[in-house]
Amino acid sequence: MAIIAPSLLAANFLELSNECEMLNKSEADWFHLDVMDGRFVPNISFGPMIIEFIRKATTKTCDVHLMIEEPEKYAEEFKKAGADILTVHIEACRHLHRNIQQIKALGMKAGVALNPHTPVAGLADILHEIDLVCLMSVNPGFGGQKFIPFTLEKIKQLRKMITERGLNVHIEIDGGVTLENAQSILYAGADVLVAGSTVFKAPDPIGMIHQLKKL
Ligand code: DX5
Ligand code: ZN
């Protein structure tokens, strides 16, 4: 069964406590938390301070997606804020191996995110060191964008790499996931679905999470 990770980027922040309660009651597995710095991506979202509050509002896994430059400067702060999984972008890490060791040494699971244009082949020598690959299916920076179809091919390639090596690495798809395309994403080999707008803009978010979970 797929892991469902609603992205709080699409939540109503004036109602953050209620939004967290809703996710707690739902079949959502992880809280996906999108951190943007206005440099790596053309948008600014929230940082460790907000995550610290969210951490207190849930016992579910906090899956923190860093869309920031120099993530190594902040890894410790995100650990303190309560991150369980810390994902950095391959495009933002000149010393990816070191960054991953740092995240793991801090006691978090390590994820690597790839922009749509970045080939999965770039993970060949690091795959055995990581817990999760986040394949971006939109250009990061904003919620509510349209799924880029060629991502499906990347999922298949990555699943093949993981299976051939007998590894246990999550494949997370992030961006433009809907009830309509989720099945083909899972069929291609992903096991974690991030969904922002699809969950939070639905008339019945708990029902929507249930539908995604059922696939
Ligand atoms: C995009 C973020 C996503 C975003 C997904 O930069 O990384 O997690 O919140 O939002 P939707 O599901 O609306 O595309
Ligand atoms: Zn994300």
Side-chain angles (χ1 to χ4, degrees):
M1 214 186 287
I3 291 172
I4 309 300
S7 163
L8 278 97
L9 193 64
N12 176 354
F13 274 72
L14 209 51
E15 297 285 338
L16 196 50
S17 160
N18 292 331
E19 300 282 49
C20 290
E21 253 333 286
M22 179 278 287
L23 291 184
N24 285 338
K25 274 189 267 169
S26 78
E27 290 165 73
D29 300 278
W30 297 353
F31 281 36
H32 183 83
L33 303 169
D34 288 302
V35 178
M36 304 178 182
D37 67 351
R39 290 175 65 219
F40 181 72
V41 287
N43 195 11
I44 300 175
S45 59
F46 52 82
M49 190 186 85
I50 298 284
I51 294 176
E52 217 176 304
F53 280 104
I54 295 173
R55 172 75 288 168
K56 289 182 187 137
T58 189
T59 55
K60 296 194 186 197
T61 295
C62 285
D63 169 35
V64 177
H65 177 193
L66 296 184
M67 285 160 274
I68 68 173
E69 301 281 1
E70 300 181 291
E72 67 279 4
K73 285 193 180 166
Y74 304 96
E76 197 173 342
E77 216 179 318
F78 283 104
K79 169 65 186 176
K80 281 190 197 140
D84 298 298
I85 305 170
L86 197 65
T87 297
V88 294
H89 265 265
I90 194 168
E91 303 86 2
C93 295
R94 190 174 294 166
H95 302 286
L96 184 62
H97 183 269
R98 178 185 289 152
N99 299 152
I100 287 161
Q101 301 310 319
Q102 179 199 27
I103 293 169
K104 293 200 292 191
L106 286 166
M108 295 176 284
K109 299 232 187 261
V112 177
L114 267 57
N115 279 339
H117 76 277
T118 305
V120 295
L123 292 169
D125 296 322
I126 199 81
L127 203 51
H128 61 285
E129 294 280 354
I130 64 186
D131 300 291
L132 172 146
V133 177
C134 173
L135 292 179
M136 292 307 303
S137 37
V138 298
N139 285 293
F142 305 93
Q145 303 182 80
K146 221 171 136 344
F147 184 85
I148 301 172
F150 76 71
T151 313
L152 289 174
E153 205 38 58
K154 292 174 70 180
I155 302 173
K156 288 181 198 159
Q157 291 168 9
L158 183 59
R159 178 52 68 197
K160 191 162 171 273
M161 281 168 77
I162 292 171
T163 310
E164 278 173 1
R165 296 167 190 217
L167 297 173
N168 188 14
V169 182
H170 290 297
I171 303 182
E172 175 177 70
I173 301 308
D174 189 4
V177 174
T178 64
L179 204 47
E180 290 68 42
N181 62 21
Q183 190 70 69
S184 55
I185 293 168
L186 297 176
Y187 189 69
D191 66 316
V192 185
L193 296 175
V194 174
S197 329
T198 292
V199 166
F200 285 96
K201 309 290 184 231
D204 172 16
I206 291 188
M208 177 55 73
I209 293 167
H210 176 69
Q211 304 248 75
L212 289 167
K213 191 74 194 171
K214 242 177 30 188
L215 291 172

PDB file of all heavy atoms in Angstrom, residues 7-10 32 34 36 41 65 67 134 136 138-146 174-177 194-198, ligand 1:
ATOM      1  N   SER A   7       1.044  17.500   1.491  1.00  0.00           N
ATOM      2  CA  SER A   7       1.939  18.642   1.625  1.00  0.00           C
ATOM      3  C   SER A   7       1.189  19.809   2.244  1.00  0.00           C
ATOM      4  O   SER A   7       0.220  20.311   1.673  1.00  0.00           O
ATOM      5  CB  SER A   7       2.475  19.060   0.257  1.00  0.00           C
ATOM      6  OG  SER A   7       3.001  20.374   0.357  1.00  0.00           O
ATOM      7  N   LEU A   8       1.677  20.252   3.396  1.00  0.00           N
ATOM      8  CA  LEU A   8       0.992  21.340   4.112  1.00  0.00           C
ATOM      9  C   LEU A   8       1.157  22.695   3.444  1.00  0.00           C
ATOM     10  O   LEU A   8       0.563  23.673   3.892  1.00  0.00           O
ATOM     11  CB  LEU A   8       1.441  21.390   5.576  1.00  0.00           C
ATOM     12  CG  LEU A   8       0.662  20.360   6.410  1.00  0.00           C
ATOM     13  CD1 LEU A   8       1.430  19.098   6.581  1.00  0.00           C
ATOM     14  CD2 LEU A   8       0.222  20.942   7.734  1.00  0.00           C
ATOM     15  N   LEU A   9       1.929  22.732   2.354  1.00  0.00           N
ATOM     16  CA  LEU A   9       2.061  23.983   1.611  1.00  0.00           C
ATOM     17  C   LEU A   9       0.683  24.476   1.156  1.00  0.00           C
ATOM     18  O   LEU A   9       0.458  25.679   1.030  1.00  0.00           O
ATOM     19  CB  LEU A   9       2.957  23.739   0.388  1.00  0.00           C
ATOM     20  CG  LEU A   9       3.479  24.958  -0.352  1.00  0.00           C
ATOM     21  CD1 LEU A   9       4.391  25.787   0.537  1.00  0.00           C
ATOM     22  CD2 LEU A   9       4.241  24.545  -1.604  1.00  0.00           C
ATOM     23  N   ALA A  10      -0.235  23.536   0.942  1.00  0.00           N
ATOM     24  CA  ALA A  10      -1.571  23.907   0.463  1.00  0.00           C
ATOM     25  C   ALA A  10      -2.570  24.072   1.617  1.00  0.00           C
ATOM     26  O   ALA A  10      -3.750  24.312   1.384  1.00  0.00           O
ATOM     27  CB  ALA A  10      -2.069  22.851  -0.529  1.00  0.00           C
ATOM     28  N   HIS A  32       4.201  16.086   4.774  1.00  0.00           N
ATOM     29  CA  HIS A  32       5.257  16.567   3.864  1.00  0.00           C
ATOM     30  C   HIS A  32       5.389  18.079   4.054  1.00  0.00           C
ATOM     31  O   HIS A  32       4.438  18.828   3.856  1.00  0.00           O
ATOM     32  CB  HIS A  32       4.898  16.212   2.421  1.00  0.00           C
ATOM     33  CG  HIS A  32       5.946  16.584   1.420  1.00  0.00           C
ATOM     34  ND1 HIS A  32       7.049  15.794   1.161  1.00  0.00           N
ATOM     35  CD2 HIS A  32       6.067  17.672   0.622  1.00  0.00           C
ATOM     36  CE1 HIS A  32       7.799  16.375   0.237  1.00  0.00           C
ATOM     37  NE2 HIS A  32       7.233  17.521  -0.108  1.00  0.00           N
ATOM     38  N   ASP A  34       7.339  21.526   3.077  1.00  0.00           N
ATOM     39  CA  ASP A  34       8.118  22.133   2.000  1.00  0.00           C
ATOM     40  C   ASP A  34       8.790  23.429   2.439  1.00  0.00           C
ATOM     41  O   ASP A  34       8.129  24.430   2.663  1.00  0.00           O
ATOM     42  CB  ASP A  34       7.200  22.436   0.814  1.00  0.00           C
ATOM     43  CG  ASP A  34       6.788  21.164   0.096  1.00  0.00           C
ATOM     44  OD1 ASP A  34       7.674  20.426  -0.360  1.00  0.00           O
ATOM     45  OD2 ASP A  34       5.562  20.910  -0.008  1.00  0.00           O
ATOM     46  N   MET A  36      11.230  26.486   1.495  1.00  0.00           N
ATOM     47  CA  MET A  36      11.749  27.211   0.317  1.00  0.00           C
ATOM     48  C   MET A  36      12.443  28.491   0.750  1.00  0.00           C
ATOM     49  O   MET A  36      11.945  29.198   1.619  1.00  0.00           O
ATOM     50  CB  MET A  36      10.582  27.576  -0.611  1.00  0.00           C
ATOM     51  CG  MET A  36       9.758  26.389  -1.041  1.00  0.00           C
ATOM     52  SD  MET A  36       8.388  26.918  -2.081  1.00  0.00           S
ATOM     53  CE  MET A  36       7.579  25.342  -2.370  1.00  0.00           C
ATOM     54  N   VAL A  41      14.695  28.073  -5.109  1.00  0.00           N
ATOM     55  CA  VAL A  41      13.420  28.154  -5.832  1.00  0.00           C
ATOM     56  C   VAL A  41      12.877  29.581  -5.737  1.00  0.00           C
ATOM     57  O   VAL A  41      13.188  30.289  -4.782  1.00  0.00           O
ATOM     58  CB  VAL A  41      12.366  27.166  -5.260  1.00  0.00           C
ATOM     59  CG1 VAL A  41      12.695  25.736  -5.635  1.00  0.00           C
ATOM     60  CG2 VAL A  41      12.230  27.302  -3.752  1.00  0.00           C
ATOM     61  N   HIS A  65      11.146  18.516   3.146  1.00  0.00           N
ATOM     62  CA  HIS A  65      11.708  18.672   1.800  1.00  0.00           C
ATOM     63  C   HIS A  65      12.363  20.049   1.709  1.00  0.00           C
ATOM     64  O   HIS A  65      11.683  21.067   1.626  1.00  0.00           O
ATOM     65  CB  HIS A  65      10.548  18.522   0.789  1.00  0.00           C
ATOM     66  CG  HIS A  65      10.944  18.724  -0.643  1.00  0.00           C
ATOM     67  ND1 HIS A  65      10.019  18.892  -1.643  1.00  0.00           N
ATOM     68  CD2 HIS A  65      12.155  18.770  -1.247  1.00  0.00           C
ATOM     69  CE1 HIS A  65      10.644  19.047  -2.805  1.00  0.00           C
ATOM     70  NE2 HIS A  65      11.940  18.987  -2.589  1.00  0.00           N
ATOM     71  N   MET A  67      14.025  22.837  -0.140  1.00  0.00           N
ATOM     72  CA  MET A  67      14.314  23.445  -1.446  1.00  0.00           C
ATOM     73  C   MET A  67      15.138  24.693  -1.168  1.00  0.00           C
ATOM     74  O   MET A  67      14.669  25.820  -1.344  1.00  0.00           O
ATOM     75  CB  MET A  67      12.996  23.755  -2.170  1.00  0.00           C
ATOM     76  CG  MET A  67      12.321  22.511  -2.724  1.00  0.00           C
ATOM     77  SD  MET A  67      10.571  22.750  -3.045  1.00  0.00           S
ATOM     78  CE  MET A  67       9.925  22.384  -1.431  1.00  0.00           C
ATOM     79  N   CYS A 134      13.215  11.636  -3.852  1.00  0.00           N
ATOM     80  CA  CYS A 134      12.030  12.429  -4.165  1.00  0.00           C
ATOM     81  C   CYS A 134      12.155  12.886  -5.614  1.00  0.00           C
ATOM     82  O   CYS A 134      13.019  13.709  -5.932  1.00  0.00           O
ATOM     83  CB  CYS A 134      11.948  13.625  -3.221  1.00  0.00           C
ATOM     84  SG  CYS A 134      10.631  14.780  -3.631  1.00  0.00           S
ATOM     85  N   MET A 136      10.835  15.028  -8.436  1.00  0.00           N
ATOM     86  CA  MET A 136       9.929  16.161  -8.662  1.00  0.00           C
ATOM     87  C   MET A 136       9.208  15.951  -9.993  1.00  0.00           C
ATOM     88  O   MET A 136       9.837  15.751 -11.031  1.00  0.00           O
ATOM     89  CB  MET A 136      10.709  17.478  -8.711  1.00  0.00           C
ATOM     90  CG  MET A 136      11.336  17.916  -7.394  1.00  0.00           C
ATOM     91  SD  MET A 136      10.218  17.985  -5.991  1.00  0.00           S
ATOM     92  CE  MET A 136       8.956  19.104  -6.582  1.00  0.00           C
ATOM     93  N   VAL A 138       7.027  18.307 -10.915  1.00  0.00           N
ATOM     94  CA  VAL A 138       6.807  19.696 -11.368  1.00  0.00           C
ATOM     95  C   VAL A 138       8.122  20.416 -11.067  1.00  0.00           C
ATOM     96  O   VAL A 138       8.959  19.885 -10.331  1.00  0.00           O
ATOM     97  CB  VAL A 138       5.667  20.416 -10.588  1.00  0.00           C
ATOM     98  CG1 VAL A 138       4.327  19.723 -10.791  1.00  0.00           C
ATOM     99  CG2 VAL A 138       5.985  20.540  -9.099  1.00  0.00           C
ATOM    100  N   ASN A 139       8.306  21.607 -11.602  1.00  0.00           N
ATOM    101  CA  ASN A 139       9.468  22.387 -11.196  1.00  0.00           C
ATOM    102  C   ASN A 139       9.172  22.964  -9.815  1.00  0.00           C
ATOM    103  O   ASN A 139       8.140  23.617  -9.618  1.00  0.00           O
ATOM    104  CB  ASN A 139       9.760  23.486 -12.220  1.00  0.00           C
ATOM    105  CG  ASN A 139      10.380  22.896 -13.468  1.00  0.00           C
ATOM    106  OD1 ASN A 139      11.508  22.387 -13.430  1.00  0.00           O
ATOM    107  ND2 ASN A 139       9.648  22.905 -14.564  1.00  0.00           N
ATOM    108  N   PRO A 140      10.058  22.693  -8.838  1.00  0.00           N
ATOM    109  CA  PRO A 140       9.732  23.033  -7.461  1.00  0.00           C
ATOM    110  C   PRO A 140       9.584  24.536  -7.252  1.00  0.00           C
ATOM    111  O   PRO A 140      10.174  25.335  -7.964  1.00  0.00           O
ATOM    112  CB  PRO A 140      10.921  22.485  -6.672  1.00  0.00           C
ATOM    113  CG  PRO A 140      12.030  22.382  -7.651  1.00  0.00           C
ATOM    114  CD  PRO A 140      11.391  22.085  -8.966  1.00  0.00           C
ATOM    115  N   GLY A 141       8.797  24.891  -6.275  1.00  0.00           N
ATOM    116  CA  GLY A 141       8.601  26.290  -5.910  1.00  0.00           C
ATOM    117  C   GLY A 141       7.154  26.623  -5.596  1.00  0.00           C
ATOM    118  O   GLY A 141       6.889  27.513  -4.799  1.00  0.00           O
ATOM    119  N   PHE A 142       6.243  25.897  -6.207  1.00  0.00           N
ATOM    120  CA  PHE A 142       4.829  26.234  -6.029  1.00  0.00           C
ATOM    121  C   PHE A 142       3.957  24.989  -5.981  1.00  0.00           C
ATOM    122  O   PHE A 142       4.263  23.993  -6.655  1.00  0.00           O
ATOM    123  CB  PHE A 142       4.352  27.138  -7.173  1.00  0.00           C
ATOM    124  CG  PHE A 142       5.177  28.374  -7.321  1.00  0.00           C
ATOM    125  CD1 PHE A 142       6.257  28.398  -8.200  1.00  0.00           C
ATOM    126  CD2 PHE A 142       4.921  29.502  -6.545  1.00  0.00           C
ATOM    127  CE1 PHE A 142       7.063  29.530  -8.323  1.00  0.00           C
ATOM    128  CE2 PHE A 142       5.723  30.636  -6.662  1.00  0.00           C
ATOM    129  CZ  PHE A 142       6.795  30.658  -7.554  1.00  0.00           C
ATOM    130  N   GLY A 143       2.881  25.081  -5.235  1.00  0.00           N
ATOM    131  CA  GLY A 143       1.871  24.027  -5.251  1.00  0.00           C
ATOM    132  C   GLY A 143       0.939  24.247  -6.436  1.00  0.00           C
ATOM    133  O   GLY A 143       1.007  25.272  -7.116  1.00  0.00           O
ATOM    134  N   GLY A 144       0.103  23.276  -6.696  1.00  0.00           N
ATOM    135  CA  GLY A 144      -0.958  23.430  -7.689  1.00  0.00           C
ATOM    136  C   GLY A 144      -0.523  23.434  -9.140  1.00  0.00           C
ATOM    137  O   GLY A 144      -1.258  23.917  -9.997  1.00  0.00           O
ATOM    138  N   GLN A 145       0.660  22.903  -9.448  1.00  0.00           N
ATOM    139  CA  GLN A 145       1.094  22.862 -10.847  1.00  0.00           C
ATOM    140  C   GLN A 145       0.715  21.518 -11.485  1.00  0.00           C
ATOM    141  O   GLN A 145       0.336  20.578 -10.807  1.00  0.00           O
ATOM    142  CB  GLN A 145       2.613  23.047 -10.941  1.00  0.00           C
ATOM    143  CG  GLN A 145       3.138  24.328 -10.311  1.00  0.00           C
ATOM    144  CD  GLN A 145       4.643  24.447 -10.496  1.00  0.00           C
ATOM    145  OE1 GLN A 145       5.127  24.837 -11.560  1.00  0.00           O
ATOM    146  NE2 GLN A 145       5.400  24.078  -9.470  1.00  0.00           N
ATOM    147  N   LYS A 146       0.884  21.475 -12.807  1.00  0.00           N
ATOM    148  CA  LYS A 146       0.486  20.295 -13.567  1.00  0.00           C
ATOM    149  C   LYS A 146       1.608  19.259 -13.598  1.00  0.00           C
ATOM    150  O   LYS A 146       2.768  19.600 -13.825  1.00  0.00           O
ATOM    151  CB  LYS A 146       0.161  20.739 -15.003  1.00  0.00           C
ATOM    152  CG  LYS A 146      -1.069  20.073 -15.590  1.00  0.00           C
ATOM    153  CD  LYS A 146      -1.430  20.729 -16.905  1.00  0.00           C
ATOM    154  CE  LYS A 146      -1.784  19.830 -18.024  1.00  0.00           C
ATOM    155  NZ  LYS A 146      -1.533  18.482 -18.114  1.00  0.00           N
ATOM    156  N   ASP A 174       6.517  13.997  -6.161  1.00  0.00           N
ATOM    157  CA  ASP A 174       6.123  15.277  -5.590  1.00  0.00           C
ATOM    158  C   ASP A 174       5.761  16.273  -6.685  1.00  0.00           C
ATOM    159  O   ASP A 174       6.630  16.720  -7.447  1.00  0.00           O
ATOM    160  CB  ASP A 174       7.273  15.810  -4.724  1.00  0.00           C
ATOM    161  CG  ASP A 174       6.878  17.032  -3.925  1.00  0.00           C
ATOM    162  OD1 ASP A 174       5.697  17.432  -3.982  1.00  0.00           O
ATOM    163  OD2 ASP A 174       7.764  17.586  -3.239  1.00  0.00           O
ATOM    164  N   GLY A 175       4.484  16.638  -6.722  1.00  0.00           N
ATOM    165  CA  GLY A 175       4.014  17.687  -7.625  1.00  0.00           C
ATOM    166  C   GLY A 175       2.941  17.217  -8.585  1.00  0.00           C
ATOM    167  O   GLY A 175       3.160  16.287  -9.357  1.00  0.00           O
ATOM    168  N   GLY A 176       1.793  17.851  -8.515  1.00  0.00           N
ATOM    169  CA  GLY A 176       0.718  17.582  -9.470  1.00  0.00           C
ATOM    170  C   GLY A 176       0.080  16.208  -9.362  1.00  0.00           C
ATOM    171  O   GLY A 176      -0.520  15.732 -10.324  1.00  0.00           O
ATOM    172  N   VAL A 177       0.200  15.593  -8.198  1.00  0.00           N
ATOM    173  CA  VAL A 177      -0.427  14.275  -8.019  1.00  0.00           C
ATOM    174  C   VAL A 177      -1.936  14.450  -7.816  1.00  0.00           C
ATOM    175  O   VAL A 177      -2.367  15.254  -6.989  1.00  0.00           O
ATOM    176  CB  VAL A 177       0.200  13.512  -6.817  1.00  0.00           C
ATOM    177  CG1 VAL A 177      -0.552  12.222  -6.535  1.00  0.00           C
ATOM    178  CG2 VAL A 177       1.677  13.232  -7.065  1.00  0.00           C
ATOM    179  N   VAL A 194       3.142  12.403  -2.637  1.00  0.00           N
ATOM    180  CA  VAL A 194       2.938  13.710  -2.015  1.00  0.00           C
ATOM    181  C   VAL A 194       1.727  14.329  -2.704  1.00  0.00           C
ATOM    182  O   VAL A 194       1.607  14.239  -3.927  1.00  0.00           O
ATOM    183  CB  VAL A 194       4.174  14.614  -2.211  1.00  0.00           C
ATOM    184  CG1 VAL A 194       3.901  16.032  -1.694  1.00  0.00           C
ATOM    185  CG2 VAL A 194       5.385  14.024  -1.505  1.00  0.00           C
ATOM    186  N   ALA A 195       0.837  14.921  -1.932  1.00  0.00           N
ATOM    187  CA  ALA A 195      -0.312  15.588  -2.549  1.00  0.00           C
ATOM    188  C   ALA A 195      -0.672  16.814  -1.727  1.00  0.00           C
ATOM    189  O   ALA A 195      -0.990  16.699  -0.535  1.00  0.00           O
ATOM    190  CB  ALA A 195      -1.495  14.643  -2.644  1.00  0.00           C
ATOM    191  N   GLY A 196      -0.558  17.979  -2.349  1.00  0.00           N
ATOM    192  CA  GLY A 196      -0.897  19.238  -1.686  1.00  0.00           C
ATOM    193  C   GLY A 196      -2.306  19.654  -2.007  1.00  0.00           C
ATOM    194  O   GLY A 196      -3.251  19.378  -1.258  1.00  0.00           O
ATOM    195  N   SER A 197      -2.450  20.289  -3.172  1.00  0.00           N
ATOM    196  CA  SER A 197      -3.770  20.807  -3.578  1.00  0.00           C
ATOM    197  C   SER A 197      -4.825  19.715  -3.610  1.00  0.00           C
ATOM    198  O   SER A 197      -5.967  19.943  -3.195  1.00  0.00           O
ATOM    199  CB  SER A 197      -3.701  21.435  -4.962  1.00  0.00           C
ATOM    200  OG  SER A 197      -2.439  21.981  -5.175  1.00  0.00           O
ATOM    201  N   THR A 198      -4.449  18.546  -4.120  1.00  0.00           N
ATOM    202  CA  THR A 198      -5.433  17.462  -4.251  1.00  0.00           C
ATOM    203  C   THR A 198      -6.074  17.146  -2.893  1.00  0.00           C
ATOM    204  O   THR A 198      -7.268  16.894  -2.814  1.00  0.00           O
ATOM    205  CB  THR A 198      -4.763  16.208  -4.857  1.00  0.00           C
ATOM    206  OG1 THR A 198      -4.425  16.517  -6.218  1.00  0.00           O
ATOM    207  CG2 THR A 198      -5.667  14.999  -4.829  1.00  0.00           C
TER     208      THR A 198
HETATM  209  C1  DX5 B   1       6.539  21.917  -4.850  1.00  0.00           C
HETATM  210  C2  DX5 B   1       6.517  21.211  -3.514  1.00  0.00           C
HETATM  211  C3  DX5 B   1       5.405  20.249  -3.437  1.00  0.00           C
HETATM  212  C4  DX5 B   1       4.046  20.893  -3.507  1.00  0.00           C
HETATM  213  C5  DX5 B   1       3.090  19.906  -4.085  1.00  0.00           C
HETATM  214  O1  DX5 B   1       7.651  22.712  -4.945  1.00  0.00           O
HETATM  215  O2  DX5 B   1       7.715  20.506  -3.288  1.00  0.00           O
HETATM  216  O3  DX5 B   1       5.502  19.409  -2.292  1.00  0.00           O
HETATM  217  O4  DX5 B   1       3.558  21.318  -2.274  1.00  0.00           O
HETATM  218  O5  DX5 B   1       1.881  20.541  -4.291  1.00  0.00           O
HETATM  219  P1  DX5 B   1       0.799  19.984  -5.304  1.00  0.00           P
HETATM  220  O6  DX5 B   1       0.429  18.606  -4.825  1.00  0.00           O
HETATM  221  O7  DX5 B   1      -0.320  20.957  -5.178  1.00  0.00           O
HETATM  222  O8  DX5 B   1       1.416  19.959  -6.669  1.00  0.00           O
END
